[in-house]
Amino acid sequence: MRRSAASTVLVAVLLVAGCGAGQPRDPTSIAPTEPPAVDLAPARPPTVAPAPTGTPGSFSPTDVAWLQLTVAMAERLLPVLELVPARTTDPAWRRLAAQVEATERADLDRARRLLAVAGAPTTNPHEGHDMPGMVTAEQVTALRASTGSPFHRLLAGHLRAHLAQAARIAGAEQHAGAHPATTAMAGAVVRDGNAALARLDRLDRPTSAAPPANAPAR
């Protein structure tokens, strides 16, 4: 029952809800799954999943759909992360962007290799689709026009949306997928995504969380 429910969620996200060409969608309307828990562990290098193994027949349609969306999402985020060195001099934001970029590039390479093993088409079935967690062309334009704190605010919003959505669908693939190396990669995406979200939350603390100026010292 658990695998069936997760499979239904993932199919809804990947094959139905996400594929309205060019139409942004609200991530909260896709599936009734809980958001990934925030991992408060310190920064760590990207988790290394097992190398691609198996035969094309051992991949399920869910595995292939998740890998294709992982590629599409990474390809949208990487150009955003490449903007960071030129848009901010803040070392903490630069460090976070570099860490996320390294993980995204590793995931992109791993997903492409798994798709090759699966014998899946090399074309991107999500080309031109503005899906949950993806940065749109208009948003990239706004990022390019900003620097400093305004850039940080925009970047934080896009990073949070991407990482949360990526962890969400990876969690569904973990439970619904069939190919061992693919589900292992999904587990790594969940762990790395939650760790990056925790680092982002520490860096991008809401100003409303600060105590009032006249609050008594503790």
Side-chain angles (χ1 to χ4, degrees):
M1 182 67 69
R2 185 180 182 186
R3 177 178 289 270
S4 175
S7 180
T8 300
V9 169
L10 189 60
V11 168
V13 173
L14 302 183
L15 305 181
V16 181
C19 290
Q23 296 298 319
R25 295 180 182 268
D26 180 359
T28 61
S29 66
I30 293 175
T33 55
E34 294 183 358
V38 174
D39 181 357
L40 296 180
R44 58 191 177 194
T47 305
V48 178
T53 59
T55 62
S58 64
F59 288 83
S60 71
T62 299
D63 295 324
V64 173
W66 177 71
L67 289 167
Q68 288 173 330
L69 182 53
T70 297
V71 169
M73 291 183 69
E75 288 178 341
R76 285 289 190 95
L77 185 64
L78 285 171
V80 172
L81 297 171
E82 291 168 358
L83 293 174
V84 173
R87 312 316 299 172
T88 180
T89 58
D90 189 306
W93 284 99
R94 286 186 169 196
R95 185 163 52 250
L96 175 65
Q99 291 166 345
V100 174
E101 182 177 356
T103 301
E104 290 292 321
R105 290 194 184 281
D107 288 343
L108 177 60
D109 178 67
R110 194 172 298 124
R112 284 173 172 167
R113 287 186 288 125
L114 282 164
L115 285 169
V117 173
T122 56
T123 55
N124 179 2
H126 303 293
E127 187 70 35
H129 298 180
D130 290 338
M131 299 165 64
M134 288 186 176
V135 185
T136 67
E138 293 79 7
Q139 290 167 338
V140 172
T141 299
L143 283 162
R144 285 178 176 153
S146 62
T147 57
S149 295
F151 177 81
H152 299 162
R153 286 193 295 272
L154 292 174
L155 177 63
H158 298 319
L159 276 179
R160 189 170 285 108
H162 172 94
L163 293 167
Q165 179 68 1
R168 183 183 189 185
I169 60 174
E173 161 63 19
Q174 247 187 309
H175 297 297
H179 187 255
T182 303
T183 55
M185 175 183 165
V189 170
V190 172
R191 292 190 297 273
D192 290 334
N194 286 342
L197 278 169
R199 294 195 294 274
L200 176 59
D201 287 343
R202 289 194 293 269
L203 185 59
D204 184 48
R205 296 182 187 278
T207 54
S208 59
N214 59 351
R218 295 187 178 182

